[in-house]
Amino acid sequence: MSTITATETSAPLPAPATRPDYRVTGRRVLRSEWAKLWSLRSTWITLGLGLVFLVAFGLIAAAQYKSRIDSGHHMDPDFAHSTAVSLSLFGTNFAQLALGVLGVLVTAGEYSTGMIRSTLAAVPRRLPVLWSKSVVFGLVSLAVSTVGVFVAFVFASGIVSGTGAAMTLSHPGVVRSLLGAGLYLGLVGVIGAALGALLRSVAGGISVLVGALMLVPGLISLLPSSWQDDISPYLPSNAGESMFALTHDSTTLAPAAGLVVFLGWTVLALAGAAYRLVRSDA
């Protein structure tokens, strides 16, 4: 009896089950945001619309230019001096709305559904959530936009071949302009995501985005000419346009300066979103 008891008491205890490692890392947060982005139907629809806007409006502008040249109809002076680059990028203003609105939905949409509480519970430090959302959506917007502008240029340049607007990728400044347009639209997506996190409202974020990119430049035109020359080049939309404009004058910024100014607006929007994310409850 004692022998059996001793044997039982000396038997080793079962090893405790190992717990999986659930540490929060930057890579895992990025993967999480990537999965959430592509799980939404609105992502596919809106990115598709942005791509369609870029290509379709560029081709429409090129076809209209070609038809007026062939028919000999009088053209507006600004339209008459168009190039294959400016015609192919005609849809940029429409694509920026699609990408900017989707950027707002990426962040503000979680506040409207309440999912942000689960996200911040999984990532208590908070700021990695903002950086991950901005990086993921910014890179997706950059990739889609860059593909769109190059496709639009290839087809638009074929349409206007043999006219004064004809250009190829080997022309000076063409590749720089197309890459600048893709980068501009990618940063617009980041600004949209930042505004969504800052305002925490889909309607509010979209309103501010549309106002900053489209309404404010029109309001600035009501100011005296001397004020317009000092303020207009530094507005987000005008600074962004200088990033991909093929030619520049004294009233516009150089491409590098436009990039710096637009990056400044992007950093400002992200800083505001980061401050509110840290300082206030979800």
Side-chain angles (χ1 to χ4, degrees):
M1 182 69 178
S2 60
T3 304
I4 297 175
T5 305
T7 303
E8 290 179 352
T9 56
S10 62
L13 296 175
T18 58
R19 300 179 61 184
D21 185 6
Y22 288 121
R23 287 183 304 166
V24 176
T25 63
R27 184 176 181 180
R28 288 176 175 174
V29 178
L30 284 171
R31 290 176 61 185
S32 172
E33 295 303 330
W34 175 268
K36 284 193 289 185
L37 177 65
W38 293 111
S39 65
L40 299 174
R41 185 181 300 176
S42 59
T43 298
W44 298 90
I45 295 174
T46 312
L47 287 177
L49 285 175
L51 189 60
V52 168
F53 288 156
L54 275 175
V55 177
F57 283 102
L59 298 185
I60 291 172
Q64 187 178 19
Y65 176 89
K66 177 69 172 178
S67 65
R68 292 188 179 186
I69 289 291
D70 293 341
S71 62
H73 289 169
H74 173 74
M75 287 194 295
D76 182 86
D78 293 334
F79 196 56
H81 292 90
S82 297
T83 63
V85 172
S86 62
L87 292 171
S88 62
L89 297 180
F90 188 79
T92 303
N93 288 335
F94 302 95
Q96 72 179 359
L97 291 180
L99 296 175
V101 167
L102 182 56
V104 173
L105 290 172
V106 166
T107 50
E110 287 201 24
Y111 283 94
S112 62
T113 60
M115 185 179 178
I116 190 64
R117 298 185 182 89
S118 300
T119 300
L120 297 181
V123 189
R125 292 177 60 188
R126 295 194 174 193
L127 286 183
V129 174
L130 177 62
W131 308 144
S132 298
K133 287 181 180 293
S134 302
V135 168
V136 167
F137 185 66
L139 291 177
V140 170
S141 299
L142 173 63
V144 171
S145 303
T146 303
V147 170
V149 296
F150 273 92
V151 170
F153 176 79
V154 169
F155 285 99
S157 60
I159 293 174
V160 299
S161 178
T163 67
M167 301 183 80
T168 63
L169 288 173
S170 60
H171 278 73
V174 170
V175 174
R176 190 267 307 162
S177 295
L178 298 178
L179 291 176
L183 179 58
Y184 167 70
L185 292 173
L187 290 175
V188 167
V190 174
I191 290 177
L195 290 176
L198 174 62
L199 300 175
R200 302 183 176 184
S201 166
V202 174
I206 293 175
S207 298
V208 173
L209 179 75
V210 172
L213 295 179
M214 305 188 71
L215 299 183
V216 172
L219 295 176
I220 294 297
S221 64
L222 301 177
L223 297 175
S225 299
S226 58
W227 291 18
Q228 292 182 38
D229 296 339
D230 294 333
I231 298 175
S232 182
Y234 301 96
L235 297 177
S237 57
N238 293 340
E241 287 180 7
S242 67
M243 292 169 55
F244 56 86
L246 204 57
T247 59
H248 300 82
D249 54 36
S250 58
T251 62
T252 60
L253 298 175
L259 174 60
V260 171
V261 171
F262 199 70
L263 282 174
W265 285 110
T266 306
V267 170
L268 182 63
L270 286 172
Y275 179 83
R276 186 172 187 194
L277 187 61
V278 171
R279 290 290 182 176
S280 59
D281 294 332

